[in-house]
Amino acid sequence: MVKFTLLFLVVIFFACSQSYEKSYTDLESAFTDWYFKFHPIESTFFGGATQYDSTFPRLDVDAREEYLADVQRFHIELSQIDETKLPETEYVNYMILTEFLSDEVFSLQKSKRYQWDASLYPEIMYNGFVALVDLDYLQMSSRTKAIAFRLEASGTVLDYARENLKFYDKSTVKYADRIIESITLLLDELPMKIMSDNNTMDKIDNHIKILRHNLKYYGQWMRDDYSELEKYNIEKKPSEISELFSHIVGKDYAIGKVSLLAEKRMHKIQDQLFNLSLPIYLRENDEPVWVDRDDSLSVIYWVKDELDNHSINPQEYISSIYAASKKVHDELNGNRELYINSIPNIQIRFDNEYSISPSIARVGRFQLNGKNKEVEYLVKPLETLQLLKINMNRYELDILIMKDLSPGNLQFQQSLSKNSQLLRQIIQNDVTKFGWQYYASSYLINSGFGGSENYAYKLTSLYNALKIAGLSWMEIQLGYHEADENDIIIDLAIKINISESEANQYVTNGSQSPFHYTQQFIGSVEMDRLQTDYKRKNKNIMNLREFHSRILMEGCIPISQLRKMILN
């Protein structure tokens, strides 16, 4: 009788756990279907549902209310599932989905970008066209048909702008102009990128003509009518900044402690830089009279200037990128601890003139084609990078290639594309993504990359880390701590050795991508901490291949969840 009772309880427990798992997986499946319906551009990008390739997202009042109601309904249904009873993978996905839904509610009810950002609407159109033009999985007839429908629907997107925008933000007009210029350049090339019968091509030509007119009118509307709206108040209380921080960076971090952490990190990096720089400095100079920390910094920055002499010849830019890519891949072929995936064929060319690269890209952007066996690396012109204050020596270029391609973001996206969990492809955590880029490049360098020039790569990597920590410090000081802008400009220039005019540009542009550098800083700190904790737990481990493989297998999930998966 006792045995029967125990068996009965085991069966009941197993059945309940199976019920929880099925309830969650059914809900997740319903969510992805719903997500592609309301995010047709992402549906095109991920190949989610071809019936949405012809549409843009609706942004009218009714659609926003429906979207918010659906999000809240998903949240209620999730809350009825006991996540502690879910298997490990489903538990993590549950947490990812819960966080995403919370962020969406914040975006609609608090952030309300649709009410003040004039660049949002041309950005939607741009992304919708580029998703169809750049990806190779759609047949030409389907691609052309979808492009024709999106061209025809583009006027509605601009109508949403005039209906929704209630506040004027001058900074968004400049970016909107840039996007409109890119769309115009894309429209110039579009007839050469598609093929169809004469009747269809004539319709497309007419749609293009109408869109050009609408874009020109929208640009004028921004200057005449939009500029007359009530000015958007970008000043926020510390509590509001803290809430924004929790949705962009994560709820596991305290914004009040990040600034102090960044300062400590900068001092630590400066000490590391000094220890590496002094022997190189003394080859050419007498030992300084050590009075204060500024004398140590002068040694560091003298060596940095020496490294900058190894500049890139603008006439050999593409060949320099090709050489850097080959050098990194040759090194990876001999480092099986870090590179887990097969190395794809990489074609390198200048990016299309109409391209606006994502912020995650450093030198260029890549496209995975041919079932991920081939990669196109589309490179920004060197002058564009210089305008973005990315002035590279050849060591910097090699490191940026590591971050953009392999073992950085390309390897991450390769692994994600093989992941059967669509949710993790749709919802990617930028803190983890930036963290892996930093970690992977640092690991390769610390493994001896560059041979006799390894010291130069270590120094350059540390300079980059110093800059990211300094810019994160700037973001927190300006936003949360409400520091004076002029004081921050002076301090930032000193802390990371840049001119005050460059520091002023960072401060001025800070509001365009809130906490962009803090995401990178937190990601780098957390990935280092994860490796340290993993090695402490696995004291007898011979190499870190399993560690790297697990990170890539889990994907861009929040680092708090990644820690549980790796360390437990």
Side-chain angles (χ1 to χ4, degrees), residues 262-276:
E263 288 207 84
K264 288 181 178 178
R265 182 87 161 185
M266 281 187 279
H267 283 297
K268 180 181 177 181
I269 294 170
Q270 286 170 347
D271 290 341
Q272 292 173 301
L273 282 168
F274 177 75
N275 292 334
L276 282 171

Side-chain angles (χ1 to χ4, degrees), residues 423-455:
L423 182 77
R424 296 195 187 184
Q425 296 181 42
I426 294 172
I427 306 172
Q428 297 187 30
N429 185 278
D430 282 344
V431 173
T432 303
K433 195 180 296 185
F434 281 126
W436 173 257
Q437 288 183 329
Y438 158 82
Y439 171 84
S441 60
S442 298
Y443 185 87
L444 190 60
I445 290 166
N446 291 333
S447 299
F449 180 84
S452 61
E453 292 186 306
N454 180 251
Y455 74 92

Side-chain angles (χ1 to χ4, degrees), residues 224-240:
D224 293 344
D225 296 3
Y226 173 63
S227 62
E228 294 299 315
L229 296 175
E230 179 184 344
K231 286 188 178 180
Y232 178 65
N233 182 18
I234 60 172
E235 301 294 330
K236 292 182 172 61
K237 299 175 184 177
S239 60
E240 294 173 321

Side-chain angles (χ1 to χ4, degrees), residues 531-556:
Q531 190 217 55
T532 300
D533 292 345
Y534 180 83
K535 289 165 77 173
R536 184 184 296 120
K537 183 176 180 180
N538 301 276
K539 294 179 181 177
N540 298 321
I541 196 164
M542 298 299 292
N543 64 60
L544 290 172
R545 180 181 172 85
E546 177 65 21
F547 173 69
H548 301 146
S549 180
R550 283 296 303 278
I551 292 174
L552 292 168
M553 180 180 71
E554 297 299 341
C556 292

Side-chain angles (χ1 to χ4, degrees), residues 322-341 343 398 401-402 406-407 411 440-454 457 545:
Y322 176 80
S325 174
K326 186 177 185 307
K327 185 176 182 178
V328 172
H329 280 157
D330 288 347
E331 186 77 20
L332 285 170
N333 275 324
N335 188 331
R336 303 313 296 178
E337 286 192 32
L338 185 59
Y339 202 86
I340 311 301
N341 299 304
I343 298 177
D398 288 359
I401 292 296
M402 293 178 200
S406 299
Q411 181 170 215
S441 60
S442 298
Y443 185 87
L444 190 60
I445 290 166
N446 291 333
S447 299
F449 180 84
S452 61
E453 292 186 306
N454 180 251
Y457 289 100
R545 180 181 172 85

Side-chain angles (χ1 to χ4, degrees), residues 304-312 393:
K304 174 68 167 67
D305 289 341
E306 288 295 299
L307 295 181
D308 285 341
N309 290 331
H310 296 265
S311 58
I312 298 165
N393 56 50

Side-chain angles (χ1 to χ4, degrees), residues 402-419:
M402 293 178 200
K403 292 180 177 180
D404 266 3
L405 296 178
S406 299
N409 194 34
L410 172 59
Q411 181 170 215
F412 225 152
Q413 297 307 317
Q414 276 183 282
S415 298
L416 273 171
S417 66
K418 297 175 183 177
N419 196 321

Side-chain angles (χ1 to χ4, degrees), residues 103 147 179 287 357:
D103 291 343
I147 287 173
I179 298 171
E287 185 168 352
S357 292

